[in-house]
Amino acid sequence: MPIRILPSHLVDQIAAGEVIERPASVVKELIENALDADARHIRIDIEHGGLGLIRVRDDGGGIPAAELSLAVQPHATSKIATVEDLEGIASLGFRGEALASIGSVARLRLVSRRAGSAEGAELTVEAGERSGPRPAAHPPGTSIEVRDLFYSVPARRRFMRSESTEFGHILRQVERLALGAPAVGFELHHNGRPALDLPGASPDGASHGDPQAARDALAARIDRILGPEFRRQALLLPAGAGPVRLWGWLALPTAARGQPDQQYWFVNGRAVRDRLLAGAVRLGYRDVLYHGRHPGFVLYLSLDARAVDVNAHPSKLELRFRDS
Ligand code: ADP
Ligand code: MG
């Protein structure tokens, strides 16, 4: 075969292969976008394990009608503009690839309205073809609908598990993101039935800078997600001061589990699975943990965004620290 330049739709499908592995990956990208838009409440509706429908509705800042068709194009983002921005990323997204990738492997519909504008607008993408924007009713905020995931890439579709397995991945993804954004309300429904309801911070409490109220709200959320036994058998690590702050809950060694299923690291609000951080926890328990046991923890690290490189992995799960 001669060398050729691939058509852009195929390029997008290849890019989608990196970040859109299964329905839960779509849910992650859409929730991250809602969080970046400062949503206070996020509602997620799933049908058929996410292979039928994924809809994420938020009450965040919205997308201007004139920018809707840019939002679904590859390498189009409102989050960074220069290499300096890339070195100190404060948002969850920055690659400008998620919506373009999703639009190349599913039927995509965006409806959005900016807070100040009189009406909303919608745009659809199917097989890489955009249609719109056209006027549409929507409260301030954004809804993104993804139908028939992987209909255009049958090979990927065949890798999907049962509806209930795929929904299990989605549920765990939502729980993880909800632990990283404790002030935001999350509501998850599967086939019309409620699966998770996590209230957000009350406007007069946690979100107005009362640290105790914020901690209590997070503690309640942790009890819902990890079960109340976790905190009963865990130590609260108080937040330190200074440029690097670490706090959270660490299970007592006697409460360690057979599986590493209750381990949550958040770095500047981003859920990560980082070898260095995982190793640091293991080192902390080194003399008090039986072989093959895994302590549960929910740990929050915050530091100068310029001291971490989040551009090390397409799905941004791994990090690089400037001074590990
Ligand atoms: P990225 O998040 O990396 O910028 P995406 O493809 O996920 O790339 O989104 C492209 C752009 O669309 C974002 O930069 C943002 O401006 C806009 N956008 C996407 N989802 C939302 C949302 N829920 N609310 C407001 N803006 C959004
Ligand atoms: Mg994004």
Side-chain angles (χ1 to χ4, degrees):
M1 242 193 256
I3 299 175
R4 72 190 73 205
I5 293 187
L6 295 173
S8 63
H9 181 50
L10 186 51
V11 172
D12 294 346
Q13 287 184 332
I14 292 168
E18 275 194 336
V19 281
I20 310 300
E21 200 190 333
R22 54 178 3 134
S25 345
V26 174
V27 171
K28 171 176 186 280
E29 294 296 333
L30 299 184
I31 292 178
E32 288 188 347
N33 280 345
L35 293 171
D36 282 344
D38 292 325
R40 307 314 308 155
H41 188 89
I42 302 176
R43 179 184 166 128
I44 305 119
D45 287 281
I46 303 296
E47 281 169 23
H48 305 300
L51 292 162
L53 170 75
I54 296 167
R55 186 193 300 119
V56 175
R57 169 183 278 226
D58 69 57
D59 56 358
I63 307 172
E67 291 179 19
L68 268 184
S69 55
L70 264 179
V72 299
Q73 287 177 53
H75 318 296
T77 180
S78 58
K79 298 171 193 176
I80 57 167
T82 64
V83 69
E84 287 77 41
D85 297 341
L86 185 60
E87 279 164 11
I89 287 174
S91 53
L92 296 170
F94 59 89
R95 294 164 48 96
E97 290 208 277
L99 293 183
S101 292
I102 295 166
S104 73
V105 294
R107 300 180 222 279
L108 175 65
R109 177 170 175 260
L110 285 70
V111 195
S112 191
R113 186 175 137 202
R114 295 278 282 177
S117 52
E119 69 174 357
E122 81 171 317
L123 181 94
T124 54
V125 185
E126 204 157 311
E129 291 293 316
R130 292 193 299 277
S131 135
R134 61 186 86 80
H138 198 277
T142 303
S143 292
I144 302 200
E145 271 176 27
V146 178
R147 287 182 195 274
D148 304 326
L149 183 63
F150 300 133
Y151 80 101
S152 56
V153 263
R156 189 47 83 84
R157 178 116 196 174
R158 280 194 290 276
F159 278 99
M160 294 305 111
R161 307 289 167 172
S162 70
E163 271 188 29
S164 63
T165 300
E166 293 303 334
F167 184 73
H169 286 290
I170 291 174
L171 177 62
R172 283 189 293 279
Q173 184 65 258
V174 174
E175 289 175 342
R176 187 171 290 273
L177 289 160
L179 288 173
V184 178
F186 286 82
E187 209 182 320
L188 173 65
H189 299 256
H190 190 207
N191 295 332
R193 281 188 293 277
L196 188 68
D197 188 5
L198 302 168
S202 62
D204 54 340
S207 65
H208 280 184
D210 173 354
Q212 188 57 45
R215 176 123 25 90
D216 291 348
L218 175 56
R221 181 166 287 193
I222 287 175
D223 291 352
R224 290 283 308 281
I225 294 175
L226 288 85
E229 324 74 64
F230 168 73
R231 276 198 320 121
R232 248 184 260 131
Q233 303 182 74
L235 298 175
L236 173 64
L237 185 70
V244 177
R245 286 171 19 103
L246 172 67
W247 72 288
W249 285 266
L250 284 157
L252 295 171
T254 46
R257 302 165 67 83
Q259 288 176 3
D261 59 340
Q262 293 197 332
Q263 303 191 334
Y264 297 92
W265 261 118
F266 299 93
V267 176
N268 291 346
R270 181 190 305 277
V272 294
R273 234 170 273 149
D274 181 81
R275 301 250 306 273
L276 179 87
L277 296 176
V281 173
R282 226 175 300 117
L283 199 61
Y285 280 91
R286 67 191 175 278
D287 294 328
V288 291
L289 209 57
Y290 287 111
H291 185 71
R293 305 297 288 172
H294 304 274
F297 56 83
V298 183
L299 289 171
Y300 298 87
L301 179 65
S302 68
L303 73 173
D304 184 346
R306 281 164 305 182
V308 267
D309 182 3
V310 296
N311 188 23
H313 189 269
S315 52
K316 296 162 288 188
L317 280 172
E318 289 161 24
L319 301 173
R320 261 184 233 118
F321 290 94
R322 183 181 291 172
D323 180 3
S324 52

